[in-house]
Amino acid sequence: QRSPPRSLPEDKKIIMLAPAIQISPITKIRRHRELPIPGNVIVRQGQKVEVRSVIAEVILKPEHILLDIARGLNVSNEKADDLIQRAAGELVDKDDLIAGPVGILRRVIRAPQSGRVVVAGEGQVLIEVDNTPFEIHAGLPGTVTDLIPNRGAVVETDGAIVQGVWGNGNAEFGLMQSKLNAPDDTFSADHLDMSLRGTIVLGGYCADPKVFRKAAEIPLRGLILASMASELIPIALKKRFPIVVLEGFGRRPMNTISYNILTTNNDRDVALNAKPVDHYTETRPEVIIPLKTSQETVAKALPIEDFAPRNKVRVSWAPGAGRIATIETLHREPIKFPSGVRALAAAVLFEDNQRANIPLANLEVVV
């Protein structure tokens, strides 16, 4: 619990940056897909894309090969320039003629790899060889609504979204299969079998390291967990399939909104993005379920600027971690908690009609 040790004047509105988490059964989802450096945008505005569609690409680490034509053909630099058959900017394939022929043996120099001629002259040829480009993928099925010049695009879709608190950095798309019968279920390796091959599995609290080994053997396309034992983090980080933890570490039940959204959408395709939380880019690990809807949906902006009565909130830290509540009132002065910490707080009403004072620093607005 963190506490700004100050009270607020009576004529001032209570303003504190309110972190937001998206948990919604239907909304318009807008995601920016951008390269880290300028590159080539592949898509066009209005284009329909799938999860693995390439949005943009760039060569992050260009490689070059320098061909010493004069030495290779045993001639002077001036003579070598006359023998060079390629000009700067030309594309060449492997074994294409670069320079020659010369002499009785008709010696030549050929391209050792495919690429582009960068420099040709003074007895040398510099080739930038073809390299596997770094690609940005759509990550969800949808429509390209805006282009970001030389960087990427904005992709939109309608659907359900459930964001979490931790991910191992990978992403996948596939059919979701639920092994969750209650928000506080425990998930073990016994829940996995070969019938789940190629699916994304939804489970509860996981403390069994055998889960990840068996998931890789089947193999699964991904795992969505309510919570996870912290000692499993090093194992989860080594797995190639995405793992998303919705509530955090230690035994925590799944919040009721996420539970209802995910279990009612069992047997649907989901986009699982296990990107770590990044408050600078406002990204979180998330589950997106594309849905067709006849109603107009609106993309909700993040973050929320301030807390307010009637906000739906999720408690992010103990006590009450993972529980959903509604803000009833905001205390104008810091209050003292049993731990001895004084903090700005809200009086909240939980779904079971229990009331409590929770520090604002321990709340996230659900949008």
Side-chain angles (χ1 to χ4, degrees), residues 54-267:
V54 178
I55 298 295
E57 63 180 17
V58 66
I59 301 296
L60 290 180
K61 296 180 179 179
E63 295 180 12
H64 297 84
I65 296 177
L66 180 64
L67 303 177
D68 191 333
I69 306 301
R71 176 176 293 183
L73 297 180
N74 195 26
V75 296
S76 66
N77 287 345
E78 292 75 13
K79 178 64 174 177
D81 287 349
D82 293 335
L83 296 171
I84 292 174
Q85 304 294 325
R86 302 291 177 175
E90 282 191 54
L91 298 177
V92 296
D93 292 324
K94 183 180 179 180
D95 295 329
D96 277 357
L97 180 66
I98 299 297
V102 66
I104 297 175
L105 299 178
R106 311 294 290 172
R107 294 192 304 274
V108 297
I109 292 179
R110 299 185 180 276
Q113 290 182 240
S114 298
R116 180 176 63 89
V117 177
V118 179
V119 176
E122 298 185 6
Q124 297 179 324
V125 171
L126 182 67
I127 299 175
E128 182 178 282
V129 300
D130 288 343
N131 203 347
T132 302
F134 173 79
E135 298 176 336
I136 292 291
H137 297 89
L140 70 162
T143 303
V144 175
T145 57
D146 293 288
L147 297 180
I148 305 168
N150 303 316
R151 290 281 186 170
V154 178
V155 180
E156 282 190 3
T157 194
D158 290 331
I161 182 170
V162 173
Q163 292 189 323
V165 302
W166 187 87
N168 70 343
N170 301 310
E172 255 296 356
F173 183 80
L175 188 71
M176 181 174 64
Q177 294 287 287
S178 176
K179 292 296 178 179
L180 192 62
N181 296 313
D184 58 352
D185 271 359
T186 296
F187 187 63
S188 70
D190 294 336
H191 290 96
L192 300 177
D193 57 54
M194 292 302 295
S195 68
L196 298 171
R197 183 183 180 88
T199 66
I200 293 172
V201 174
L202 172 66
Y205 168 66
C206 180
D208 182 2
K210 296 177 183 177
V211 165
F212 302 129
R213 183 166 64 249
K214 194 168 182 179
E217 291 171 352
I218 288 176
L220 300 184
R221 284 196 177 182
L223 275 174
I224 306 166
L225 301 174
S227 54
M228 187 175 78
S230 59
E231 55 265 29
L232 299 186
I233 293 175
I235 303 173
L237 286 172
K238 293 178 181 178
K239 297 305 174 185
R240 294 185 177 181
F241 55 86
I243 300 168
V244 167
V245 178
L246 298 181
E247 303 297 344
F249 301 102
R251 180 180 290 276
R252 297 185 179 187
M254 189 178 297
N255 72 76
T256 54
I257 302 178
S258 297
Y259 175 79
N260 290 332
I261 291 172
L262 294 174
T263 55
T264 56
N265 282 290
N266 189 38
D267 287 327

